[in-house]
Amino acid sequence: MPDFAVGTLEYDENKKLRELQTMVLQKGTEAREQVLSAAKAEAEKWIEEKTKSLKAMVESIKADAVKRCNEISRRQISEAEAKRDKDHQRFQSGLVDRALMDLQNALVAFEDRHDYDAILTGLAAEVCGAIVSSKEQNKGQKVKLRLRAEDASHGEGIARALMSRFPDVEVAFDATPAAIIGGVYIYSEEEKWHVSADWKSKVGEMADEVARAVLSEL
């Protein structure tokens, strides 16, 4: 009887031990599943957040790239338009300069005309006429006339023609060559003022008119 009781007790204790082990293992498995499930959920959440963040970064980078591309494109277009306008203005300016130079050359070529002395006299007469009409000038105004070296032979004749036309102005020819390309140089006896009625100044006076005429043809 006692032997049987002991055997029964050992059997019961082994059974309880196995049941306890099974329970512990089961709880461990459940705990592990919970941990794994929580870790998985956390990982999925982290991946989702990082994916959203990465997507936002990509969109931002793409937007910046598009913005820079548009800025570069606008700048290049603006630079191209500016260059085109500058080139066009340079072209127009070149045409006007050429027209003014042609005009100046044509005026210089007057020296080959048979009435060249009359042309020079007319230029000088414009200046003398302004002197006579000026209220600030008194009768008996004395002026001197200079020409370029090549035109010196016309000096005395021009002076006489001017005094004949303007008795109130005394004109004397100064044989000192004037630094002009053609036309006349007139100055007061005291050298307080001078007028360069030369071809260069005449072209300058007509520059705006010539420019308008040239540009109107473009």
Side-chain angles (χ1 to χ4, degrees):
M1 183 68 178
D3 293 339
F4 176 77
V6 173
T8 302
L9 179 60
E10 290 178 355
Y11 171 77
D12 292 339
E13 288 178 353
N14 290 334
K15 182 179 179 182
K16 289 181 179 180
L17 181 59
R18 287 194 298 273
E19 290 175 351
L20 182 60
Q21 289 176 343
T22 301
M23 185 182 299
V24 170
L25 291 173
Q26 184 177 359
K27 289 186 175 295
T29 300
E30 292 175 356
R32 184 186 65 181
E33 292 297 329
Q34 290 177 355
V35 171
L36 290 175
S37 178
K40 182 179 179 181
E42 186 69 21
E44 290 177 350
K45 181 179 179 181
W46 183 86
I47 291 174
E48 182 180 359
E49 291 176 351
K50 292 301 179 182
T51 300
K52 289 181 179 179
S53 177
L54 179 61
K55 184 177 180 181
M57 289 176 61
V58 170
E59 290 297 325
S60 177
I61 293 172
K62 184 174 70 174
D64 288 342
V66 172
K67 181 180 179 181
R68 285 195 298 271
C69 182
N70 290 335
E71 290 175 350
I72 292 172
S73 178
R74 285 194 296 269
R75 184 168 63 252
Q76 290 178 338
I77 291 174
S78 178
E79 291 174 352
E81 291 177 346
K83 184 178 184 300
R84 181 194 62 194
D85 292 342
K86 185 178 294 185
D87 290 342
H88 187 60
Q89 291 175 357
R90 187 181 296 111
F91 173 72
Q92 291 179 328
S93 179
L95 290 178
V96 173
D97 290 343
R98 177 60 184 273
L100 292 174
M101 182 57 66
D102 289 345
L103 175 59
Q104 180 174 290
N105 292 337
L107 294 176
V108 172
F110 280 166
E111 64 182 342
D112 297 327
R113 293 172 57 106
H114 69 280
D115 57 349
Y116 183 51
D117 57 338
I119 293 174
L120 294 178
T121 301
L123 287 174
E126 288 183 6
V127 178
C128 290
I131 293 173
V132 172
S133 63
S134 174
K135 295 180 180 180
E136 297 179 359
Q137 303 296 337
N138 298 320
K139 292 184 177 181
Q141 176 72 46
K142 295 181 179 181
V143 299
K144 291 187 175 182
L145 166 71
R146 285 181 183 174
L147 302 173
R148 65 173 184 161
E150 295 87 340
D151 300 333
S153 61
H154 302 295
E156 295 295 345
I158 293 173
R160 289 193 299 270
L162 291 175
M163 286 190 292
S164 175
R165 181 171 179 180
F166 303 101
D168 295 334
V169 179
E170 182 179 338
V171 183
F173 173 60
D174 180 359
T176 303
I180 55 178
I181 61 174
V184 300
Y185 179 90
I186 297 177
Y187 63 98
S188 65
E189 187 177 35
E190 301 82 6
E191 297 191 26
K192 291 182 179 180
W193 56 263
H194 71 270
V195 178
S196 293
D198 62 327
W199 300 139
K200 188 173 182 179
S201 63
K202 287 298 180 182
V203 169
E205 292 173 5
M206 294 183 284
D208 291 341
E209 183 179 351
V210 171
R212 286 193 295 271
V214 171
L215 298 180
S216 66
E217 297 297 326
L218 299 179

